[in-house]
Amino acid sequence: MKKLIFLASTFFLFFSCKNETKDIKIRNNQFDTYKNNFIDELWKMNPEWAASQGYHKYDSVLKIPTNKLRMEQLDFAKRQLDSLNNYTVDELSSNNTTDYYMIKNYLEGTVFSINELKSFEWDPSMYNVCGSFAEILNGNYDSLDTRLRNFNLKMENIPAFYKAAKANIKNPTIEHTQLAIDQNSGGASVFTTDLVAAVAKSKLSSDEKNAILAKSKTAVIAINDYVSWLKKLDNKTPRSFRLGKDLFDKKFEYDIQSGYSPDQIYQKAIDHKADLHQKMFELADKLWPKYCGKEPKPTDKLKLIKQVIDKISLKHTTPDKFQSEIEKQIPELTAYVKAKNLLYIDPSKPLVVRKEPDYMAGVAGASISSPGPYDKNANTYYNVGSLSGWDAERSESYLREYNDYILQILNIHEAVPGHYTQLVYSNQSPSIIKSIFGNGAMVEGWAVYTERMMLESGYKNSDEMWLMYYKWNLRSTCNTILDISIHTKNMSKEAVVNLLVNEAFQQQAEADGKWKRATLSQVQLCSYFTGYTEIYDFRETLKKEQGTKFKLKDFHEKFLSYGSAPVKYIKELMLKK
């Protein structure tokens, strides 16, 4: 009898587990269907974002940023949050659990942006059509004629777009107003120069060409009118560019998605800065005779470090060779990564170094523009800020900052094996959610992590390179300190410049540029150090646990295989048995 009861119980448990597994599979299939429907709706709501990801079904659509559109976006977010409530993470796979959290974060962040942040009122630079139209011209996803016809249809709403922008703006910040003026003014060349060249190359009929060029003149009038309106705006009570602690902390939560709070990562950055200073002093003290001869050493450690760095920084390229020097280094870095077996780099994914487009100017000196998951084989662009028109003093300051050592670290960060490489992997991720909702702290953190990883592997190993790497790493560290301090502690420009010049050993031009960037962005500057800290600490933990079984290449490829998800979720997926 006992044996029969045991057999019956075993039989019951077996089929119960089998049914439970079947139910979980069904729920995951249902969630996959939900995700597909969600993405379809997302792209209808955000056609330009869709295009940036390589999804070009709505290329002819330009949404007009009215209050009605914002209410539609709020309704979309709330409906989708209700739909998410039909699922629990316990019944979802690891992959879907991460997607669930990332969708939820995006939707809640949308509600926060519209109801609380309200940057549509105080940031006039949000209103700029030039970039999305330029991408249509620059793309190679369809014939030029098809792209121009979409361009033509999309232009229809440009006057209404800027009319709505003017209606939205209330007490804008001075800094974002100037950025909007500069970027729209420069970006208008998309319609006056780039479009004219593209139309001339096309096979459109004469009537179509004339219609497009006539409409482009109307577009330019609307853009110039917006610029003139901003210049004449009677803004007696401009909003401060500082977010304040409440808004900053909430934006940090949605944008960074870290295991750390802003206060915690701020303290980590302060401690890391002190550690870097000690390491730099030891190297600078060692290098002093080589660069400073028998000059008496300063008693102040930071001054000693600065003097050695200043000497090493004199070795740099020239303004006219800045971009070509970057182009030359990319294949060298690729060959090194391959030779050291650090990571597989797909040779079929092109990287094109180009002058930074005018509509992007004014925020960062170097950046990557990557194709989206729907357009995986398109070019990735390495955008390089131009030094054209700079006076000799400003150019020299900038080039000392990006001297022969740091320029290599910059290329590691932006290109190989940093942003370019990571974003190629992200596009291969089985989850499109992780690609389109790419987490900034993971993306930037990976790029910062690779800088240290490359040097640890022996890349251009020298005391000078390590000293300059520590200086560069101070940059990421101080980015976090100043971002939090500026927006939540009222840090002044003078204090920021002092931090960057005297404690991070940056050139005056770089310090001035960083101040400008910090006044125009919020939270993003925290992403570098936060992501780097989480990735590096995770790697070191695995090395201790796995011992001789740990393989760096395996770690890199496994880590990147999950797409641009927040580091805390990638850790969960990699550790899950």
Side-chain angles (χ1 to χ4, degrees), residues 349-482:
K349 308 301 181 185
L351 174 63
V352 178
V353 181
R354 69 176 180 183
K355 174 184 172 293
E356 181 183 67
D358 291 338
Y359 60 84
M360 295 175 64
V363 181
S367 65
I368 287 287
S369 298
S370 68
Y374 297 95
D375 197 17
K376 298 176 183 179
N377 295 319
N379 291 338
T380 297
Y381 291 102
Y382 185 164
N383 309 301
V384 181
S386 173
L387 279 64
S388 175
W390 288 25
D391 60 45
E393 183 180 358
R394 186 183 177 198
S395 292
E396 178 64 17
S397 178
Y398 187 83
L399 291 171
R400 287 186 185 185
E401 183 66 33
Y402 293 95
N403 57 66
D404 287 356
Y405 296 98
I406 284 189
L407 191 59
Q408 295 178 77
I409 300 171
L410 173 70
N411 290 330
I412 290 170
H413 179 103
E414 296 292 345
V416 179
H419 285 322
Y420 157 69
T421 307
Q422 184 268 319
L423 292 168
V424 169
Y425 269 85
S426 183
N427 279 346
Q428 309 304 319
S429 168
S431 164
I432 199 167
I433 294 295
K434 295 179 183 64
S435 294
I436 64 177
F437 292 131
N439 175 256
M442 183 275 172
V443 173
E444 294 295 354
W446 169 263
V448 176
Y449 161 78
T450 60
E451 300 158 11
R452 179 169 179 174
M453 180 273 293
M454 287 284 280
L455 264 68
E456 287 176 337
S457 73
Y459 178 77
K460 300 290 180 72
N461 189 34
S462 69
D463 290 337
E464 287 88 346
M465 181 60 91
W466 273 104
L467 180 62
M468 285 300 182
Y469 161 72
Y470 289 139
K471 173 185 182 296
W472 183 262
N473 194 242
L474 261 177
R475 176 193 187 107
S476 301
T477 307
C478 289
N479 278 351
T480 290
I481 295 170
L482 67 86

Side-chain angles (χ1 to χ4, degrees), residues 68-290:
K68 180 184 176 184
L69 178 61
R70 287 191 293 277
M71 293 305 101
E72 289 174 1
Q73 292 168 335
L74 272 178
D75 180 63
F76 168 76
K78 291 173 181 177
R79 281 189 291 105
Q80 296 297 336
L81 284 168
D82 286 342
S83 296
L84 278 184
N85 287 334
N86 293 324
Y87 302 91
T88 61
V89 293
D90 293 339
E91 61 189 0
L92 297 177
S93 66
S94 297
N95 181 60
N96 275 338
T97 295
T98 307
D99 286 354
Y100 173 95
Y101 285 130
M102 292 182 76
I103 294 171
K104 186 171 184 284
N105 182 78
Y106 164 74
L107 296 171
E108 291 176 344
T110 298
V111 175
F112 161 73
S113 294
I114 294 173
N115 286 343
E116 297 185 62
L117 188 62
K118 296 185 177 182
S119 54
F120 56 85
E121 293 183 351
W122 49 262
D123 181 3
S125 70
M126 286 180 60
Y127 307 107
N128 185 344
V129 299
C130 304
S132 64
F133 280 90
E135 293 305 321
I136 294 177
L137 295 182
N138 293 334
N140 57 7
Y141 51 87
D142 210 333
S143 70
L144 176 58
D145 289 1
T146 298
R147 287 184 280 119
L148 283 172
R149 289 187 178 109
N150 282 328
F151 192 106
N152 186 38
L153 291 170
K154 191 181 179 79
M155 278 196 292
E156 194 70 40
N157 276 347
I158 289 180
F161 178 93
Y162 283 106
K163 181 180 179 182
K166 287 187 274 189
N168 290 339
I169 294 169
K170 301 172 184 175
N171 305 324
T173 78
I174 294 171
E175 294 77 10
H176 290 93
T177 301
Q178 188 58 51
L179 181 65
I181 291 169
D182 293 342
Q183 291 189 331
N184 276 279
S185 298
S189 63
V190 171
F191 300 91
T192 59
T193 305
D194 301 349
L195 177 61
V196 173
V199 168
K201 289 180 186 176
S202 75
K203 297 176 181 178
L204 297 176
S205 68
S206 296
D207 287 345
E208 284 183 293
K209 289 181 178 181
N210 290 334
I212 290 175
L213 294 177
K215 198 180 289 184
S216 71
K217 292 177 181 177
T218 303
V220 172
I221 290 171
I223 295 169
N224 289 338
D225 178 67
Y226 179 60
V227 170
S228 297
W229 182 81
L230 289 174
K231 288 179 177 178
K232 297 173 185 175
L233 189 62
D234 186 16
N235 189 16
K236 293 187 175 67
T237 56
R239 185 200 191 280
S240 169
F241 65 83
R242 302 179 196 273
L243 274 196
K245 183 166 175 57
D246 182 54
L247 287 177
F248 187 92
D249 286 2
K250 288 179 181 178
K251 194 171 191 296
F252 183 96
E253 179 183 349
Y254 291 121
D255 289 4
I256 305 296
Q257 298 182 71
S258 170
Y260 298 117
S261 69
D263 290 340
Q264 289 172 325
I265 204 65
Y266 176 82
Q267 190 56 52
K268 280 185 170 291
I270 293 290
D271 295 342
H272 189 60
K273 175 165 70 77
D275 181 56
L276 288 172
H277 280 165
Q278 181 57 36
K279 290 176 178 176
M280 292 177 78
F281 169 70
E282 292 169 5
L283 282 173
D285 190 53
K286 180 180 175 183
L287 288 167
W288 182 270
K290 181 176 179 180

